Amino acid sequence: MAKVLKERGCTVTGIELDPEAAQQAEKHCERVIVGDVEKLDLEAEFGEELFDVIIFGDVLEHLKEPELVLKRVKPFLSPGGYVVASIPNIAHGSVRLALLQGSFQYRPLGLLDETHLKFFTRESIEQLFDNAGYAIDILERIRVGIFNTEIELDKGRVSEEVLEQISADPESETYQFVLTAYPQSSPPLAAKLNRLRFLEERLEQRDRVIYELSRKLRNMEELQRQLEDRNEQLARREREVSELVQEVAKRNRRLANLEERVKRLNQQVGKLRKKGRQ
């Protein structure tokens, strides 16, 4: 991250817990502070120094009190400065399906990183930044298919109905949220407008959910109508079969009568032949 930022003309100061990683970061950072961001005396480290951007790249989920850290760094943002954060989505469809299959296995990396202390959904991310005194400006998503993550799933045990229900959630394929957020005390006009757009997006998502539910209801009504049509067709066929059975019975009776008449005629013919021989 620091390497890319430096290549784009940025001056980077880093905070790194691991000394070896800090040593690597020093190649690209103007300054690297080795320590735990939750325990460091930031005032002593930075004094009156201000930053245009403070980046939490897959960091907040590793902290004990991410809300407190967001509050503590706020005074070090320059006027118009903002926070950038990337945060994994625990509500990804792969995690939900794994839970339905009775599995929640921590892994070295990814959604269930074994060093994660907090887990976030879109709603809890919004709540985190709101509680910390920030207005989210832009919220983007890195998407990964439900069966394309590091989470191991038995696809054969996933019913179409369950998969359809999980996939109906707009965030079911959101692997990671990437956002920018301004302090609420003085967000720029662009942040206010983007916040409005953000709320409108949520309304649109709810509208999509309502539309999807309405579509499913229409499908159910169509299936019900088709079922009623099939039942009516079946009733007609049953009536036709009943009429055919009655017709066959009637013809069998006529056939029996004809056979009886033929029998009597044969008897009469036999008597006439006997008289003729006499």
Side-chain angles (χ1 to χ4, degrees), residues 11-69:
T11 300
V12 183
T13 297
I15 297 177
E16 174 56 57
L17 179 64
D18 182 82
E20 292 184 7
Q23 188 175 2
Q24 292 295 318
E26 286 176 350
K27 300 175 184 177
H28 310 289
C29 295
E30 184 178 54
R31 177 187 177 198
V32 177
I33 300 168
V34 180
D36 185 343
V37 70
E38 295 195 83
K39 298 177 181 178
L40 285 173
D41 185 344
L42 299 181
E43 288 76 11
E45 293 289 348
F46 298 119
E48 297 182 0
E49 188 175 0
L50 299 179
F51 299 90
D52 296 324
V53 182
I54 297 177
I55 300 176
F56 292 94
D58 290 357
V59 170
L60 295 173
E61 64 274 14
H62 296 270
L63 304 180
K64 295 178 181 178
E65 297 183 89
E67 180 182 324
L68 180 59
V69 171

Side-chain angles (χ1 to χ4, degrees), residues 220-262:
M220 290 181 63
E221 291 173 347
E222 176 63 19
L223 289 173
Q224 181 65 31
R225 187 189 64 77
Q226 292 178 6
L227 180 60
E228 291 173 354
D229 290 345
R230 295 290 176 84
N231 287 337
E232 185 177 344
Q233 292 175 6
L234 181 60
R236 285 201 301 268
R237 294 293 174 83
E238 288 178 344
R239 289 195 296 271
E240 291 173 359
V241 170
S242 178
E243 291 172 358
L244 287 172
V245 169
Q246 293 176 6
E247 181 66 23
V248 169
K250 186 186 297 184
R251 293 190 179 190
N252 285 338
R253 288 195 296 272
R254 290 178 59 187
L255 180 61
N257 291 335
L258 288 172
E259 288 177 345
E260 183 62 27
R261 291 177 61 185
V262 169

